[in-house]
Short mmCIF file of all heavy atoms in Angstrom, two decimals:
data_model
loop_
_atom_site.label_atom_id
_atom_site.label_comp_id
_atom_site.label_asym_id
_atom_site.label_seq_id
_atom_site.Cartn_x
_atom_site.Cartn_y
_atom_site.Cartn_z
N GLU A 540 -3.43 16.43 3.19
CA GLU A 540 -3.77 15.06 3.03
C GLU A 540 -3.99 14.52 4.58
O GLU A 540 -3.10 14.66 5.53
CB GLU A 540 -2.56 14.43 2.60
CG GLU A 540 -2.45 14.59 1.11
CD GLU A 540 -3.53 13.94 0.20
OE1 GLU A 540 -4.08 12.93 0.65
OE2 GLU A 540 -3.76 14.28 -0.99
N ASN A 541 -5.13 13.96 4.69
CA ASN A 541 -5.33 13.33 6.11
C ASN A 541 -4.76 12.02 6.12
O ASN A 541 -4.85 11.17 5.22
CB ASN A 541 -6.85 13.17 6.08
CG ASN A 541 -7.71 14.55 6.31
OD1 ASN A 541 -7.00 15.55 6.64
ND2 ASN A 541 -8.99 14.33 6.40
N ILE A 542 -4.11 11.69 7.22
CA ILE A 542 -3.36 10.50 7.45
C ILE A 542 -3.74 9.97 8.79
O ILE A 542 -3.67 10.60 9.83
CB ILE A 542 -1.93 10.70 7.46
CG1 ILE A 542 -1.30 11.36 6.06
CG2 ILE A 542 -1.18 9.44 7.71
CD1 ILE A 542 -0.03 11.83 6.07
N ALA A 543 -4.34 8.73 8.70
CA ALA A 543 -4.76 7.96 9.97
C ALA A 543 -3.55 7.35 10.63
O ALA A 543 -2.82 6.54 10.14
CB ALA A 543 -5.74 7.04 9.81
N CYS A 544 -3.15 7.80 11.85
CA CYS A 544 -2.06 7.20 12.59
C CYS A 544 -2.12 5.67 12.70
O CYS A 544 -1.12 4.95 12.59
CB CYS A 544 -1.97 7.94 13.96
SG CYS A 544 -1.49 9.70 13.77
N PRO A 545 -3.33 5.19 13.07
CA PRO A 545 -3.38 3.71 13.18
C PRO A 545 -3.07 2.93 11.96
O PRO A 545 -2.42 1.87 11.98
CB PRO A 545 -4.85 3.50 13.61
CG PRO A 545 -5.37 4.76 14.30
CD PRO A 545 -4.64 5.87 13.57
N GLU A 546 -3.41 3.50 10.81
CA GLU A 546 -3.01 2.90 9.57
C GLU A 546 -1.57 2.72 9.38
O GLU A 546 -1.03 1.71 8.96
CB GLU A 546 -3.61 3.69 8.34
CG GLU A 546 -3.27 2.97 6.96
CD GLU A 546 -3.73 3.76 5.74
OE1 GLU A 546 -4.20 4.93 5.92
OE2 GLU A 546 -3.66 3.30 4.68
N VAL A 547 -0.69 3.86 9.70
CA VAL A 547 0.71 3.76 9.54
C VAL A 547 1.37 2.93 10.64
O VAL A 547 2.23 2.16 10.43
CB VAL A 547 1.23 5.24 9.64
CG1 VAL A 547 2.75 5.29 9.57
CG2 VAL A 547 0.60 6.12 8.66
N GLU A 548 0.76 2.94 11.74
CA GLU A 548 1.19 1.99 12.94
C GLU A 548 0.93 0.52 12.49
O GLU A 548 1.97 -0.26 12.69
CB GLU A 548 0.44 2.30 14.19
CG GLU A 548 0.85 3.60 14.78
CD GLU A 548 -0.18 4.13 15.88
OE1 GLU A 548 -1.23 3.54 16.01
OE2 GLU A 548 0.15 5.05 16.49
N GLY A 549 -0.16 0.30 11.80
CA GLY A 549 -0.39 -1.15 11.33
C GLY A 549 0.70 -1.52 10.38
O GLY A 549 1.07 -2.71 10.26
N ALA A 550 1.11 -0.64 9.44
CA ALA A 550 2.13 -0.97 8.58
C ALA A 550 3.35 -1.18 9.13
O ALA A 550 4.15 -2.09 8.70
CB ALA A 550 2.14 0.23 7.51
N LEU A 551 3.73 -0.41 10.22
CA LEU A 551 5.05 -0.62 10.84
C LEU A 551 5.00 -1.90 11.61
O LEU A 551 5.99 -2.60 11.58
CB LEU A 551 5.21 0.55 11.81
CG LEU A 551 5.72 1.91 11.24
CD1 LEU A 551 5.51 2.98 12.23
CD2 LEU A 551 7.16 1.86 10.92
N HIS A 552 3.97 -2.32 12.21
CA HIS A 552 3.87 -3.60 12.82
C HIS A 552 4.06 -4.81 11.97
O HIS A 552 4.49 -5.83 12.34
CB HIS A 552 2.52 -3.70 13.56
CG HIS A 552 2.40 -2.87 14.84
ND1 HIS A 552 1.37 -2.17 15.13
CD2 HIS A 552 3.53 -2.51 15.80
CE1 HIS A 552 1.59 -1.39 16.31
NE2 HIS A 552 2.87 -1.79 16.79
N GLN A 553 3.83 -4.57 10.64
CA GLN A 553 4.03 -5.64 9.68
C GLN A 553 5.48 -5.90 9.29
O GLN A 553 5.78 -6.96 8.74
CB GLN A 553 3.17 -5.47 8.38
CG GLN A 553 1.63 -5.39 8.57
CD GLN A 553 0.95 -5.05 7.32
OE1 GLN A 553 1.35 -5.31 6.28
NE2 GLN A 553 -0.19 -4.57 7.44
N ILE A 554 6.33 -4.97 9.66
CA ILE A 554 7.75 -5.12 9.32
C ILE A 554 8.36 -5.96 10.41
O ILE A 554 8.29 -5.75 11.62
CB ILE A 554 8.42 -3.73 9.33
CG1 ILE A 554 7.68 -2.89 8.25
CG2 ILE A 554 9.92 -3.75 9.07
CD1 ILE A 554 8.18 -1.44 8.18
N GLU A 555 9.18 -6.91 9.91
CA GLU A 555 9.81 -7.91 10.86
C GLU A 555 10.75 -7.13 11.76
O GLU A 555 11.53 -6.32 11.43
CB GLU A 555 10.64 -8.81 10.13
CG GLU A 555 11.22 -9.98 10.96
CD GLU A 555 11.94 -11.09 10.14
OE1 GLU A 555 11.89 -11.05 8.94
OE2 GLU A 555 12.56 -12.01 10.85
N GLY A 556 10.75 -7.42 13.20
CA GLY A 556 11.61 -6.74 14.06
C GLY A 556 10.90 -5.60 14.76
O GLY A 556 11.32 -5.20 15.80
N ILE A 557 9.85 -5.00 14.16
CA ILE A 557 9.18 -3.88 14.86
C ILE A 557 8.12 -4.43 15.92
O ILE A 557 7.17 -5.18 15.57
CB ILE A 557 8.47 -3.05 13.84
CG1 ILE A 557 9.38 -2.35 12.99
CG2 ILE A 557 7.65 -1.91 14.63
CD1 ILE A 557 10.41 -1.45 13.44
N LEU A 558 8.41 -4.18 17.18
CA LEU A 558 7.62 -4.84 18.20
C LEU A 558 6.47 -3.97 18.58
O LEU A 558 5.30 -4.35 19.04
CB LEU A 558 8.45 -5.17 19.53
CG LEU A 558 9.59 -6.18 19.14
CD1 LEU A 558 10.43 -6.29 20.38
CD2 LEU A 558 9.19 -7.37 18.62
N GLU A 559 6.77 -2.49 18.70
CA GLU A 559 5.81 -1.64 19.07
C GLU A 559 5.92 -0.39 18.20
O GLU A 559 7.11 -0.05 17.89
CB GLU A 559 5.74 -1.20 20.52
CG GLU A 559 5.41 -2.43 21.47
CD GLU A 559 5.47 -2.00 22.95
OE1 GLU A 559 6.07 -0.87 23.30
OE2 GLU A 559 4.81 -2.66 23.70
N ALA A 560 4.91 0.42 17.90
CA ALA A 560 4.94 1.62 17.08
C ALA A 560 3.93 2.62 17.59
O ALA A 560 2.78 2.19 17.98
CB ALA A 560 4.85 1.50 15.66
N SER A 561 4.39 3.79 17.54
CA SER A 561 3.38 4.98 17.95
C SER A 561 3.72 6.14 16.76
O SER A 561 4.77 6.55 16.79
CB SER A 561 3.51 5.62 19.29
OG SER A 561 2.72 6.59 19.58
N VAL A 562 2.64 6.50 16.09
CA VAL A 562 2.79 7.46 15.10
C VAL A 562 2.14 8.85 15.56
O VAL A 562 0.91 8.79 16.06
CB VAL A 562 2.11 6.98 13.83
CG1 VAL A 562 2.02 7.97 12.67
CG2 VAL A 562 2.89 5.70 13.35
N PHE A 563 2.66 9.86 15.20
CA PHE A 563 2.21 11.21 15.63
C PHE A 563 2.59 12.24 14.69
O PHE A 563 3.55 12.02 13.82
CB PHE A 563 2.78 11.56 17.13
CG PHE A 563 4.20 11.25 17.37
CD1 PHE A 563 5.20 12.15 16.83
CD2 PHE A 563 4.52 10.03 17.77
CE1 PHE A 563 6.47 11.91 17.01
CE2 PHE A 563 5.98 9.77 17.95
CZ PHE A 563 6.92 10.77 17.64
N SER A 564 2.12 13.39 14.82
CA SER A 564 2.46 14.55 13.89
C SER A 564 3.69 15.17 14.37
O SER A 564 3.97 15.39 15.63
CB SER A 564 1.41 15.67 13.88
OG SER A 564 1.21 16.21 15.18
N ILE A 565 4.50 15.72 13.52
CA ILE A 565 5.74 16.54 13.86
C ILE A 565 5.60 17.89 12.96
O ILE A 565 5.07 17.92 11.92
CB ILE A 565 7.03 15.72 13.48
CG1 ILE A 565 7.04 15.31 12.02
CG2 ILE A 565 7.18 14.53 14.42
CD1 ILE A 565 8.52 14.65 11.67
#
Side-chain angles (χ1 to χ4, degrees):
E540 287 289 336
N541 288 351
I542 301 166
C544 295
E546 181 185 10
V547 183
E548 289 165 352
L551 281 165
H552 285 139
Q553 294 177 28
I554 299 175
E555 185 175 355
I557 300 296
L558 305 177
E559 292 181 342
S561 177
V562 173
F563 46 84
S564 69
I565 58 176

